[in-house]
Each structure stands twice: as C-alpha cells, then as structure tokens.
Amino acid sequence: MKEVNLNMADKTPLPPFLPVENSTESFWRTELHQLDQLRTTPDLPQHSDIVIIGAGYSGISLAYHLHKQLSSSDQPHPAITVLEARQICSGATGRNGGHLRPDLYGNIPKYIDRYGLEAGAEVANFEIAHVKALKELVAEENIECDLNLTRCMNVYLNDADGEKAKRTYEALVAKGLEYTTDIHYTPQKYAEKISGVKGAKACISYTAGTLWPYKLILGLLLKITESPLVNVQTSTSVISVDSHHGLHYVRTPRGIITASKIVYATNAYTSGLLPQYAANIIPCRGICCHITFPEGKDAPFLPYSYLIRNKEANGQSYLITRPDGSAIVGGAQYSFEDDRKQWYNMIDDSTLIEPARNYYDDFMQRTFRGWDESQAYVKEIWTGIMGYAYDSAPHIGEVPGQPRRYICAGYDGHGMPVIFLATKALAEMVLNGMSFEQTELPRVFKSTAERLQRAADGPEGGDIFA
C-alpha cells in the first residue's frame, strides 16, 4: 500500500453509496440536541483502537456499552472513534416509527420452520427482553425519551388474515413456547370494540413500548461525550477501508484514521464499504408521518400501539400514539411496492415516495372509531432508508474472513427490539475477543460466509419479495 499523509484531506470524489444531503425532515428531529453535530475535536485523530462507522442506534449504543464495560475495568482503555456521514441519529433510527415492538409471531414462525423451535424461541425471548432492558436503561441513566409501555394491537381487516393469525397463534401455543402467555387473541365478535379499529375481523395483542428514538440515542451519547476515550466526528463520511500490516486505514474526506478494529454500524449503507453484503443487506426506502390535530381540539383516546393489516391488499401500517395524543404512522407499502424504483435498492431519503404521499391524509378518520370529526391531519411526512436482510435476520459479529472487522446491520426495519442488547454482546466480542457462540445472541443473527453465499446464489431480494 502506498504511503499516505494522515493529516491530508482526501480530494477523491465522494462515492454514490453515501447518505444523501438534504434529507426529508423527520418529526423526531424537530427538537435537535446540542450534540446533534458533535465533533469532539476539531481534527480527526490519526489513530484509534476502535473505529465505529455510523452514529445511529447501533453505533452509539455500541460506544455506550464499550464505555460502560471499560469504565468498570482496570484494563488499559482503548480509544474509540465514532464516524458519522451526516448528523447524530440522522438515518433510519431518527426516521422510524418509535415502536419497541417484539415480533412475536411475524418472523418467529419463519425462524422455527427454517432453523427449529429453539432457534425461533431465542429470537422471541431476545426481542422481549428489550422492553425491560430499555425501561431499566432509561431509569438508570435518567434519559427523557417519552418511553411508555403499552400493548401492541395487531389488527386484521379481512377474514383470511384473521384466520391465519389465529392458526399461527394456536400453533405457537401448542409448541409450548413460554412467551405466548403474553399474547392475547380476540375474535371478530369483539375485535372492533377491543381494538378501536373499524371493521376489525380479529386482533392479537402483547406487551410493547413506544418512545422518542432520537432522544434515546442522544441521551446515550450525552453519557459518554465527556470521556477522553470517545471521539465523535459528524459530517465525516467513510469512503473506504483498507487493511495493511495488521492495521485498518479508514479513508474520509477529512483525512485517514488508522485503526486496530473496525465496526460497521452502517445498516442499509453496508454494501458500499463491504461489497460482499450487496445481496444480503439491501437498502429499501419507507415512508412515515406525524399525524396531529388542530390546536385546542382533543384527540380521541387510543390506548395501544398498532400494526394494522390492510383489508384488500397485502401490506400494513404501524402506529404509535404520542403523549400529546398525536400519532406516528408508517408503512403503506402496498401503495408503491409494484413501483420498485420508488423503494428497492434506494438510498435517497431526500424525497417522498410519490404514490404514498397522500395515503395517510385521512388515515385516522377512516381507520379508528370515534375519529371521524377529529380533524386529524398529517403535519410532517418523511422517508427513511432501511437495511432489509435477504433472510430477514440481522448480521452481527465478525465479518467472515476479515479479522478485527465487525458488523451490526440489516435489521429489516425492525431494529428497535434488537439493537441495544445486540451491541452489548458485540462489545464483549470487540473488547474481550469473545466468540459469537459465547454470547447470548440468537444463533440466526450470526454473520457467516454461508449466509453471504446463500444470498449471492439465491433469487433477488430473498424474503423481501416472499
């Protein structure tokens, strides 16, 4: 490798895989934190023991866990640098639905069929554990992020989906899975009145949470910014990572950092730096909005969070209610899924998805009992880029065949009940050399050469088009 001046800014044109500028404004980013554009030092450090690429949920929670483990250790403390292409939490985490929802019978039956009962139960229990873990975290660190525990109400608007939900629920109960004790099925006779959704044919509920994700991540960041161990650099895109003589050279427009270990917390943008993941983690654009009501008008009470299956088409909407009665709603995939250029393999979150632009204009009125005269309207609407995994499972652990490079990405738009405890386990791998199998991570999350090859050899899109 040719010699490089580590203090010299790189004049190489920025590659096309980086996050775009001028992204649509998410509701979550309407109250910006003082650390939103943090640069711990004016210049990049020339060397860092651990470089984390990405400052969303994965990158910041990993830095938090690393710092927490180091603070309680008498071992030498390595330096940690976090690099972010835009602002803190400006990607998928700052653009999601704020829904801490374990997916107890969505992907879980799929995992059971593919990998066995024990493997499926591992994922379910891992996701359930996040509700308690985040509740304890918010209390311990005194983070104000509007965390609320509730019931997630999965509602089905046609008979076929309702019957399928019932069969799936009964099959899981019959397998003796402990977590099913928290799942409650309501048949058509009471579904509409219990859920509050017009025309509900069935519903299933279980414990979940809602929160302000941006405030959670900035709250975590605030806990580590005063440490001399952690250096955070926003507006610092990573152009490439090369390895030579046991060191990694992280190239940015502001210079090059050498690192002993690299962590890719890059989710949908992973394949730009790790091309072997191109078929495994596919960037897909989604839409989300904030629905509120005129000043002085009270919104009808909604006691739950929701996942609502469409009546006449494949697809669903997710919804959380905010403490002020407003709602965050997203989804609407069926309105644009046939127009793949709108969403598939797309990293542009600076524009809206045109077929879905007006989908939620009267969503509350047409969906919920008692909302007809609410005058609810869409105040903010935005897009976000999710990293969809070929086989629906995230990739966590060491990058196959690349020592001292680690990955935590590919959440299928479902990172809220996965990332915090995943990065806690990853911190053990990065700091202490713990193997994936020594952690409590679900086995299906391990990033392996076999998973990479399966996606490369399989049909385009994998589970995305299943």
Side-chain angles (χ1 to χ4, degrees), residues 344-361:
Y344 182 75
N345 210 11
M346 162 71 75
I347 62 169
D348 184 0
D349 57 12
S350 68
T351 60
L352 296 178
I353 299 175
E354 287 304 319
R357 176 187 286 270
N358 301 116
Y359 180 83
Y360 289 113
D361 284 353

Side-chain angles (χ1 to χ4, degrees), residues 55 62 93 145 200 247 270 289 295 303 312 340:
L62 175 60
T93 310
C145 62
L247 279 181
T270 297
C289 68
E295 186 176 351
E312 298 173 346
R340 289 175 58 181

Side-chain angles (χ1 to χ4, degrees), residues 36-330:
D36 186 67
Q37 301 186 59
L38 174 65
R39 284 188 176 177
T40 305
T41 56
D43 298 318
L44 294 181
Q46 290 193 1
H47 178 79
S48 188
D49 296 291
I50 302 168
V51 167
I52 301 170
I53 306 173
Y57 191 1
S58 296
I60 297 302
S61 60
L62 175 60
Y64 170 82
H65 288 305
L66 290 170
H67 181 267
K68 197 171 184 65
Q69 291 184 30
L70 289 168
S71 298
S72 60
S73 170
D74 57 4
Q75 297 179 357
H77 289 181
I80 302 164
T81 298
V82 182
L83 303 177
E84 168 56 46
R86 298 191 296 201
Q87 304 83 33
I88 303 295
C89 200
S90 58
T93 310
R95 319 181 76 76
N96 68 21
H99 206 177
L100 180 60
R101 180 186 66 86
D103 187 12
L104 298 188
Y105 65 95
N107 277 336
I108 303 306
K110 183 189 299 181
Y111 292 142
I112 291 173
D113 290 343
R114 291 178 180 175
Y115 311 112
L117 182 64
E118 187 175 332
E122 285 175 0
V123 178
N125 292 328
F126 186 77
E127 293 191 7
I128 290 169
H130 277 76
V131 178
K132 179 182 178 183
L134 287 183
K135 185 177 187 295
E136 292 176 346
L137 170 71
V138 167
E140 176 186 349
E141 300 291 9
N142 193 28
I143 298 174
E144 293 291 338
C145 62
D146 295 348
L147 177 66
N148 178 49
L149 298 193
T150 183
R151 300 284 290 179
C152 177
M153 188 68 68
N154 286 29
V155 182
Y156 304 90
L157 299 183
N158 67 58
D159 292 320
D161 281 344
E163 282 300 313
K164 181 180 178 182
K166 181 181 179 182
R167 291 194 303 271
T168 301
Y169 164 68
E170 291 174 343
L172 292 174
V173 171
K175 293 179 186 296
L177 295 171
E178 182 179 353
Y179 72 82
T180 59
T181 58
D182 186 50
I183 301 177
H184 182 72
Y185 173 81
T186 301
Q188 182 174 353
K189 182 177 180 180
Y190 301 113
E192 182 173 316
K193 290 186 177 180
I194 290 292
S195 68
V197 176
K198 297 176 182 178
K201 303 300 183 183
C203 55
I204 291 178
S205 68
Y206 49 88
T207 302
T210 64
L211 72 161
W212 191 309
Y214 175 84
K215 290 186 177 181
L216 171 66
I217 303 312
L218 272 294
L220 289 178
L221 179 60
L222 189 62
K223 300 299 174 181
I224 61 177
T225 51
E226 294 184 1
S227 168
L229 302 176
V230 181
N231 190 309
V232 179
Q233 297 287 329
T234 60
S235 298
T236 306
S237 303
V238 174
I239 299 171
S240 64
V241 179
D242 300 307
S243 298
H244 190 61
H245 294 324
L247 279 181
H248 304 299
Y249 292 77
V250 183
R251 185 180 296 273
T252 82
R254 300 174 57 216
I256 294 174
I257 305 177
T258 60
S260 302
K261 298 177 181 179
I262 303 289
V263 182
Y264 296 86
T266 42
N267 201 26
Y269 302 91
T270 297
S271 65
L273 296 172
L274 294 172
Q276 63 268 47
Y277 284 86
N280 282 264
I281 302 176
I282 300 166
C284 294
R285 186 165 68 161
I287 198 161
C288 194
C289 68
H290 173 224
I291 297 179
T292 188
F293 37 88
E295 186 176 351
K297 193 171 183 64
D298 289 331
F301 177 58
L302 283 181
Y304 309 114
S305 65
Y306 290 86
L307 196 71
I308 303 172
R309 294 286 298 179
N310 294 339
K311 180 179 181 180
E312 298 173 346
N314 184 36
Q316 60 197 22
S317 291
Y318 54 84
L319 178 149
I320 71 165
T321 50
R322 300 259 313 120
D324 63 1
S326 65
I328 305 294
V329 191

Side-chain angles (χ1 to χ4, degrees), residues 445-456:
F445 289 0
K446 184 178 182 180
S447 191
T448 65
E450 290 75 19
R451 289 181 67 190
L452 298 183
Q453 192 62 50
R454 192 182 309 126

